[in-house]
Amino acid sequence: GAVVSQHPSWVICKSGTSVKIECRSLDFQATTMFWYRQFPKQSLMLMATSNEGSKATYEQGVEKDKFLINHASLTLSTLTVTSAHPEDSSFYICSATRLGSTSNQPQHFGDGTRLSIL
Amino acid sequence: QKEVEQNSGPLSVPEGAIASLNCTYSDRGSQSFFWYRQYSGKSPELIMSIYSNGDKEDGRFTAQLNQASQYVSLLIRDSQPSDSATYLCAVKGSAGTGFQKLVFGTGTRLLVSP
């Protein structure tokens, strides 16, 4: 299998709080992890691509200083939403591809984190 | 023009019927195509992948790819109420465009009535 675990699954916190979300590949080593955001009734939008040991590549319009990504090992990437505000409330989903994957290999998704900022 | 386009639906089919979901893409160099199913409030799960022209069958699911027309489809035979979900078409970019990135369509909502 290719299991990706995401934690926490649900976060409710006050405006101004920083929130850390973890994404772990449980049974494989992940070359690359991806972070997506999904607003209600919309599709997944890629926020950033995270490679182990290097800086993340952010998509246009995504603030790198607000959404801090750390990919410290081949099995763990973290996304920290700094000073979160109500407009950051969304469904955040990570995915991972196996070490050594060719372009044909699919991404395996975590269960997502629902973030609600009051 | 959107990179990956899908009809948002909803597509309503009766139980037991064939559901046909369609997707077009703009990057002619794309070579990897995926269909994901997403239930409400859940993350996407991979249903099918296809990498060459023609049909690929897996159980009740058949993916069809026509690269000349830049068109991908998913057929679901013997549709069940449990198939009711949003189906996302995803395309990997060609080399030089961040080839591991997936571009998602907006999804087609499928409703299978008992």
Side-chain angles (χ1 to χ4, degrees), chain A residues 35 48-51 54-58 64 67-71:
Chain A
W35 288 96
T49 302
S50 168
N51 291 292
S54 63
K55 290 184 178 180
T57 302
Y58 290 81
K64 62 180 181 181
F67 299 100
L68 301 178
I69 291 173
N70 183 280
H71 194 152

Side-chain angles (χ1 to χ4, degrees), chain A residues 38 43 103-105 107 110, chain B residues 32 36 38 43 51 92 101 105:
Chain A
Q38 187 177 35
S43 191
S103 62
N104 285 349
Q105 293 303 305
Q107 291 180 19
Chain B
S32 303
Y36 286 86
Q38 187 176 26
S43 68
Y51 313 115
K92 276 196 180 180
K101 290 168 54 173

Side-chain angles (χ1 to χ4, degrees), chain B residues 42-100:
Chain B
K42 303 294 184 183
S43 68
E45 58 176 314
L46 182 67
I47 298 295
M48 292 284 290
S49 58
I50 187 165
Y51 313 115
S52 58
N53 277 322
D55 295 0
K56 178 182 177 183
E57 187 175 318
D58 184 359
R60 296 188 295 115
F61 300 97
T62 299
Q64 299 174 319
L65 174 61
N66 183 326
Q67 289 178 295
S69 301
Q70 295 174 238
Y71 176 94
V72 193
S73 65
L74 179 70
L75 301 178
I76 306 175
R77 289 181 298 281
D78 188 23
S79 295
Q80 301 297 309
S82 59
D83 294 327
S84 298
T86 296
Y87 288 80
L88 301 169
C89 173
V91 178
K92 276 196 180 180
S94 53
T97 64
F99 74 94
Q100 289 202 68

Side-chain angles (χ1 to χ4, degrees), chain A residues 52-116:
Chain A
E52 185 265 340
S54 63
K55 290 184 178 180
T57 302
Y58 290 81
E59 294 300 299
Q60 191 173 8
V62 178
E63 299 176 58
K64 62 180 181 181
D65 294 331
K66 181 167 182 66
F67 299 100
L68 301 178
I69 291 173
N70 183 280
H71 194 152
S73 74
L74 286 171
T75 60
L76 174 65
S77 176
T78 60
L79 167 68
T80 301
V81 183
T82 61
S83 187
H85 292 285
E87 59 266 28
D88 298 321
S89 299
S90 188
F91 190 42
Y92 292 85
I93 313 172
C94 72
S95 71
T97 54
R98 289 178 181 272
L99 179 66
S101 292
T102 64
S103 62
N104 285 349
Q105 293 303 305
Q107 291 180 19
H108 304 282
F109 284 85
D111 288 337
T113 297
R114 192 159 300 282
L115 176 62
S116 296

